[in-house]
Amino acid sequence: MPELYAVPPDKVNEEYENPHTVDRVPAGKLPHLWGQSLYILSALLAEGFLAPGEIDPLNRRFSTAFKPDVVVQVTVLAESNEIKKLLRHHGINVQSVTDINPIRVQPARILSHLYAKLGHNKHMKLSGRPYRHIGVLGTSKLYVIRNQIFTFTPQFTDQHHFYLALDNRMVVEMLRTELAYLTSCWRMTGRPILTFPITNTMLINDGSDIDPAILATIRKLGDGYFGGARVKLSKLSDFLTTSFYTNLSFLDPDCDGKLFDDLNEGYSSPESGYELEDYTDFGDKESQDELDQYIQSMLQSTALKSHLPPISKASGSPHVFSAAHSTREILSIMAKAKGLEIPSVSMSLPTKVLSTHRKSLNLVDSPHPVKDKQELEAVLHLPKDDHGDLDCEKLVGQLKECSSLHDQADILYILYLIKGLDWETRLSGQCGINVHCLLSELYSKAGLNQEWGLIRYISGILRKRVEVLAEACTDLLSHQKQLTVGLPPEPREKTITAPLPPEQLIQLIYEASGEDISIAVLTQEIMVYLAMYVRSQPSLFAEMLRLRIGLIIQVMATELARSLNCSGEEASESLMNLSPFDMKNLLHHILSGKEFGVERSMRPLDSSSSSPAISIHEVGHTGATKTERSGITRLKSEMKQFFYGGHSTSSSMHSSRSMRCSSPSSPTSTSSLTGSGGHTISWGDRQGQWLRRRRLDGAINRVPVGFYPKVWKILQKCHGLSIDGYVLPSSTTREMTACEIKFAVHVESVLNHVPQPEYRQLLVEAILVLTVLSEIEVNSIGGIIHVDRIVHIANELFLQEQVCVLILFRHLNWPLEEISGLCPIKSKED
């Protein structure tokens, strides 16, 4: 038995008054409490007085035992009989929600409300379990509540909280991810069951057909495999005997106290949602028990309420405001009217007519200066009262007559800026209709019309957050990936090194995003996609220690500006208008390190969205692998030849110059390449490829394989490395080992002081060249090495060499086209 340490008897009272302050003294080899308890428990198990399941209710003892592959049971339910007929027209027979009575179907958030009643007791002042997101493991069971069987739809199909479920292709992607997660993490007895609803938002052509992505998914589920997971598609009644059941006995009516004595208690939100038809069909209140009334009150609090005039899809309707204007302009007029001076903010009106004139959101270039106030008053035609102030009552009157989605967004946004979310509009003379309520309705209409830029902006105003945001952050941190939000440098860029509560995490994101609420919403979206990829494709994150989400968003906009040949404002607007599926696809291409292209595409004529249609495609292997991009292998052999006398300096320089001019992996090559998708890469596309690649790798902080141990070896042979004024001292090698994660974090903290991703990557390449010197048998390579100075000197030498080559080619009367193809510069000034 281990030796026991105890508090002295004469100091017990002192320990009670100040816990953990009294020193323990050895009490000899007495029976240890924990060890003795373990012995007693083992004896009870051995003699049959205890069953293993009684001390292991989570069945973790089976985790190492052999078990057959998990088969996920999937049942598809149509929201209405009309959707059921549409599916039958395509040869797919499913049940509707009304066909499965008496089994009840509810969204996952209702299960969260019900679990919030666990431990709730008003008399004892116990609030109960906190309202929490229920994951796919929780919704993949059948629940018995008051002798009724309930099945709950997964959280990712619930369009009430965040807008990812509004994109049908994104729903398919999340379904694939969740099925793979169920296959690997299901530990319960019985099979998991996933209820997949087909709602009205999954229809196209004005509700006359099912979305092709949803149809293809249902057919693929019928084949038995989907995304690498084994599935079985059938009716819900066929799975009643093979599914796992959970009995929520704390909701039984015979429990002490009345659980649902206050139907307005708990989590409620004015945000709009989409419900299945049967969700709110409970009959008369007299025939309902308190459970039905509680569920109905929760659904009614989030039901879609219509107050705004219907949207007209007719094109060419005039807008309320005749000219493009930004938030700065509105605030300028407000400040002038009230005699106030307020700073310019980085927001803009997310309307269709303003999309090409959005001057505040520019992730590529610096924003343009603000117009003069007198000029702004001339272009804006906002209603004013007798005192010259903005007349909000007239704006509400104009809102009643607006049939355009973007005009309604204009007016509500101005009312939000001036009056706030809680201001009563008294639209149509009704009370209780505030700006928040109307924005929630506008959010729902924008979702139906696939206006992603408007959806993201309203989500930011309403402070919507992803339900799994904290879980996504934890997943990335558990894979040893640190996160930063906001654009560099610090302190604007915030670093996340430990899991945070959802409220604290969302507050940190909004602080780092400044005044641009669209960026805050997009940051949440990117964080969720990164977590999905780190679970499904961890190889994408090889040699990445810190994921800088602000730089990733910026490089996304830069790629759109380059590919679409547009300005920074247009590229930023196009990025915000990408669908969630396209955004996730663009992020995957950036993480993969492969070359890709972005081009404009045609949108169907019956599409109601005004967002630009953009397609992202892979252009295949361009010959520039990670090793070829760094060129370290060839450089290492050349340096060994130089040090050991294999070749002369001139022959080595000549060899490197010839390779640079003729290698197919070089961006100066004049040949054209064809990608796997048939997209041709011409010289015009190849120009600036290294700048793009360095910008991409620098934004995601990708470093070469074994980079940090090589830096450790360099520090052993010098006094330190100076990077942009910050010194990485050699004493670090005496405090940390080469493969220690703490050392890698320390190196990253020095490199991240460089705000430009392409310049940071160039410094990484320069350090990698220095690692070649550390591998050569040299005792010391100097004192403090200034890496940035080496890069600057190398750039000057490169320019001098290119000028000499250019003069030589002109002396030989080479054609100008061939000279520009071989040399990336045309003059010394360039």
Side-chain angles (χ1 to χ4, degrees):
M1 292 294 179
E3 192 172 4
L4 179 66
Y5 291 86
V7 176
D10 56 336
K11 295 186 177 181
V12 172
N13 294 330
E14 182 182 349
E15 175 67 15
Y16 274 122
E17 294 175 359
N18 300 301
H20 308 294
T21 58
V22 176
D23 294 335
R24 271 63 172 170
V25 295
K29 294 187 176 181
L30 299 177
H32 191 259
L33 184 62
W34 181 85
Q36 189 71 13
S37 302
L38 186 62
Y39 170 75
I40 296 173
L41 193 62
S42 302
L44 291 174
L45 284 171
E47 297 176 11
F49 290 102
L50 272 181
E54 293 179 284
I55 60 174
D56 183 25
L58 297 181
N59 298 324
R60 292 186 176 180
R61 64 191 184 281
F62 297 136
S63 60
T64 58
F66 172 79
K67 57 183 180 296
D69 293 338
V70 175
V71 178
V72 183
Q73 304 169 139
V74 180
T75 178
V76 178
L77 293 179
E79 180 187 58
S80 61
N81 290 326
E82 288 75 15
I83 297 179
K84 179 181 176 181
K85 293 178 182 177
L86 291 176
L87 290 171
R88 186 183 302 157
H89 177 72
H90 290 278
I92 301 174
N93 294 319
V94 300
Q95 292 179 307
S96 65
V97 176
T98 56
D99 294 338
I100 63 172
N101 283 330
I103 302 175
R104 304 274 291 276
V105 185
Q106 298 294 336
R109 67 177 181 276
I110 296 299
L111 183 59
S112 299
H113 288 301
L114 295 178
Y115 264 119
K117 294 298 179 180
L118 178 61
H120 173 75
N121 192 303
K122 244 185 161 183
H123 301 291
M124 299 180 64
K125 297 182 179 180
L126 298 177
S127 60
R129 183 180 185 267
Y131 179 89
R132 292 174 180 169
H133 160 72
I134 301 295
V136 69
L137 290 175
T139 57
S140 297
K141 311 171 187 177
L142 294 179
Y143 289 84
V144 179
I145 306 175
R146 298 191 176 187
N147 298 323
Q148 297 183 70
I149 298 178
F150 281 77
T151 180
F152 294 93
T153 58
Q155 188 72 56
F156 68 87
T157 62
D158 191 355
Q159 301 168 356
H160 165 73
H161 291 290
F162 208 65
Y163 56 82
L164 297 184
L166 297 173
D167 186 4
N168 292 327
R169 293 185 297 172
M170 194 64 214
V171 170
V172 173
E173 285 295 311
M174 291 188 289
L175 174 63
R176 181 181 288 106
T177 302
E178 299 295 355
L179 286 176
Y181 180 74
L182 277 175
T183 302
S184 60
C185 298
W186 182 258
R187 298 289 181 268
M188 305 297 179
T189 56
R191 292 177 174 178
I193 179 170
L194 190 146
T195 304
F196 188 64
I198 308 298
T199 62
N200 285 320
T201 58
M202 298 179 180
L203 304 180
I204 59 173
N205 300 331
D206 295 331
S208 60
D209 203 355
I210 308 291
D211 192 295
I214 301 297
L215 285 175
T217 300
I218 299 176
R219 292 192 176 101
K220 186 64 178 176
L221 290 171
D223 294 339
Y225 284 90
F226 187 79
R230 290 186 60 189
V231 297
K232 182 179 180 181
L233 183 65
S234 186
K235 297 179 180 180
L236 184 60
S237 57
D238 298 337
F239 299 143
L240 295 180
T241 57
T242 57
S243 301
F244 180 82
Y245 285 81
T246 297
N247 187 10
L248 302 185
S249 58
F250 61 90
L251 296 176
D252 291 343
D254 56 349
C255 292
D256 295 336
K258 193 174 182 181
L259 291 176
F260 310 108
D261 50 357
D262 187 359
L263 297 181
N264 294 323
E265 277 188 355
Y267 176 84
S268 61
S269 171
E271 297 171 352
S272 60
Y274 300 89
E275 320 297 342
L276 298 181
E277 281 185 353
D278 191 56
Y279 282 4
T280 56
D281 187 14
F282 295 104
D284 298 333
K285 284 191 176 181
E286 290 76 8
S287 62
Q288 297 176 6
D289 62 2
E290 57 178 352
L291 175 64
D292 291 341
Q293 294 180 21
Y294 179 75
I295 294 177
Q296 186 180 19
S297 66
M298 290 296 100
L299 294 175
Q300 286 180 348
S301 66
T302 57
L304 179 61
K305 303 176 181 63
S306 180
H307 302 289
L308 295 172
I311 301 299
S312 174
K313 296 184 179 180
S315 58
S317 57
H319 286 262
V320 175
F321 308 114
S322 60
H325 48 280
S326 67
T327 304
R328 292 191 184 96
E329 301 167 356
I330 297 176
L331 295 182
S332 299
I333 291 181
M334 291 167 52
K336 186 177 181 180
K338 298 179 180 180
L340 301 175
E341 291 295 334
I342 58 175
S344 298
V345 294
S346 180
M347 293 184 292
S348 65
L349 292 176
T351 59
K352 178 179 179 181
V353 75
L354 307 177
S355 60
T356 57
H357 301 280
R358 186 170 183 173
K359 302 183 183 305
S360 58
L361 181 58
N362 188 343
L363 299 170
V364 182
D365 309 313
S366 58
H368 296 285
V370 186
K371 297 179 181 179
D372 183 72
K373 291 183 179 180
Q374 295 181 355
E375 183 181 355
L376 296 176
E377 287 185 334
V379 298
L380 285 177
H381 299 281
L382 299 175
K384 297 181 180 181
D385 55 16
D386 298 336
H387 303 285
D389 297 329
L390 192 63
D391 195 337
C392 295
E393 301 296 335
K394 291 183 179 179
L395 272 180
V396 174
Q398 290 182 353
L399 186 61
K400 300 177 185 178
E401 304 171 358
C402 284
S403 60
S404 169
L405 183 69
H406 299 284
D407 286 346
Q408 294 178 3
D410 277 346
I411 296 175
L412 289 177
Y413 181 70
I414 296 172
L415 292 176
Y416 155 72
L417 285 178
I418 301 174
K419 295 295 185 179
L421 290 175
D422 298 328
W423 184 68
E424 289 283 345
T425 61
R426 296 191 176 273
L427 188 66
S428 302
Q430 302 181 24
C431 298
I433 305 177
N434 54 19
V435 177
H436 189 290
C437 180
L438 295 179
L439 280 173
S440 300
E441 181 183 348
L442 187 67
Y443 171 84
S444 301
K445 292 183 178 181
L448 294 175
N449 288 275
Q450 305 286 293
E451 295 287 348
W452 299 113
L454 191 58
I455 290 171
R456 289 185 174 97
Y457 205 84
I458 299 177
S459 298
I461 295 176
L462 298 177
R463 288 296 180 109
K464 287 180 175 288
R465 72 180 184 201
V466 189
E467 304 86 357
V468 294
L469 183 63
E471 291 89 338
C473 179
T474 304
D475 282 340
L476 291 168
L477 293 172
S478 63
H479 284 80
Q480 295 185 344
K481 309 298 178 186
Q482 295 184 352
L483 294 173
T484 66
V485 293
L487 290 174
E490 295 181 352
R492 183 174 58 176
E493 187 179 35
K494 308 291 184 181
T495 304
I496 304 173
T497 58
L500 297 174
E503 295 78 10
Q504 187 175 349
L505 181 59
I506 199 70
Q507 183 65 27
L508 183 67
I509 291 175
Y510 274 91
E511 288 178 1
S513 302
E515 297 293 338
D516 202 318
I517 52 182
S518 295
I519 298 299
V521 174
L522 189 57
T523 298
Q524 301 180 56
E525 190 177 338
I526 297 297
M527 192 178 296
V528 172
Y529 299 156
L530 289 172
M532 294 172 65
Y533 283 132
V534 81
R535 288 193 297 261
S536 59
Q537 303 180 48
S539 59
L540 288 176
F541 299 85
E543 308 304 326
M544 297 183 200
L545 183 62
R546 180 172 294 182
L547 302 173
R548 308 172 78 179
I549 298 180
L551 280 182
I552 292 176
I553 295 175
Q554 190 177 48
V555 82
M556 282 180 167
T558 304
E559 282 298 297
L560 290 181
R562 182 196 61 83
S563 301
L564 302 179
N565 193 22
C566 60
S567 63
E569 294 88 352
E570 294 173 345
S572 301
E573 192 70 15
S574 298
L575 179 67
M576 287 299 171
N577 282 310
L578 285 180
S579 68
F581 178 81
D582 289 333
M583 188 75 70
K584 181 174 178 287
N585 192 19
L586 178 59
L587 177 63
H588 182 271
H589 281 82
I590 290 177
L591 292 175
S592 65
K594 298 179 181 179
E595 291 298 323
F596 63 93
V598 182
E599 60 185 18
R600 302 185 188 275
S601 59
M602 296 299 295
R603 190 178 295 279
L605 295 176
D606 55 359
S607 175
S608 59
S609 175
S610 62
S611 304
I614 294 175
S615 64
I616 305 169
H617 54 80
E618 185 178 332
V619 296
H621 177 60
T622 61
T625 62
K626 292 181 181 178
T627 305
E628 291 170 339
R629 288 202 301 266
S630 59
I632 294 301
T633 304
R634 185 172 70 245
L635 179 63
K636 185 184 297 185
S637 61
E638 292 177 1
M639 293 185 67
K640 286 182 178 180
Q641 291 171 0
F642 174 78
F643 275 94
Y644 297 108
H647 283 80
S648 63
T649 306
S650 60
S651 62
S652 177
M653 291 181 62
H654 175 74
S655 173
S656 63
R657 185 184 301 119
S658 62
M659 286 184 179
R660 183 169 59 247
C661 294
S662 60
S663 173
S665 65
S666 170
T668 57
S669 172
T670 57
S671 60
S672 297
L673 298 175
T674 303
S676 59
H679 300 279
T680 302
I681 309 172
S682 61
W683 156 245
D685 297 328
R686 300 293 302 276
Q687 193 172 16
Q689 177 184 342
W690 297 129
L691 175 62
R692 288 183 54 240
R693 181 49 53 193
R694 288 188 176 102
R695 182 180 291 124
L696 293 176
D697 289 344
I700 58 181
N701 278 26
R702 178 183 281 132
V703 296
V705 179
F707 174 73
Y708 301 110
K710 292 178 181 179
V711 174
W712 193 85
K713 292 181 180 180
I714 296 177
L715 293 176
Q716 283 188 319
K717 296 188 177 183
C718 66
H719 294 167
L721 296 177
S722 176
I723 301 172
D724 200 28
Y726 294 88
V727 178
L728 186 64
S730 60
S731 60
T732 311
T733 59
R734 294 189 292 270
E735 302 171 1
M736 311 170 193
T737 60
C739 298
E740 190 175 350
I741 189 68
K742 186 178 179 181
F743 175 73
V745 171
H746 188 55
V747 175
E748 279 292 321
S749 63
V750 176
L751 285 173
N752 287 338
H753 284 103
V754 181
Q756 299 86 4
E758 57 272 20
Y759 183 51
R760 177 194 183 278
Q761 194 66 17
L762 202 59
L763 293 175
V764 169
E765 295 175 13
I767 295 175
L768 199 61
V769 174
L770 292 174
T771 62
V772 180
L773 291 175
S774 66
E775 297 176 3
I776 301 173
E777 297 180 0
V778 179
N779 294 329
S780 176
I781 57 176
I784 294 181
I785 302 175
H786 297 271
V787 182
D788 44 357
R789 293 183 186 177
I790 294 177
V791 172
H792 293 160
I793 294 174
N795 181 57
E796 293 176 1
L797 293 176
F798 174 76
L799 291 178
Q800 293 175 8
E801 178 185 354
Q802 294 300 310
V803 169
C804 294
V805 174
L806 186 64
I807 294 175
L808 176 62
F809 285 159
R810 285 182 175 175
H811 181 72
L812 296 176
N813 294 325
W814 277 40
L816 184 60
E817 292 79 7
E818 296 186 17
I819 296 176
S820 60
L822 291 171
C823 302
I825 62 170
K826 294 184 180 180
S827 65
K828 186 174 181 179
E829 288 75 9
D830 294 337

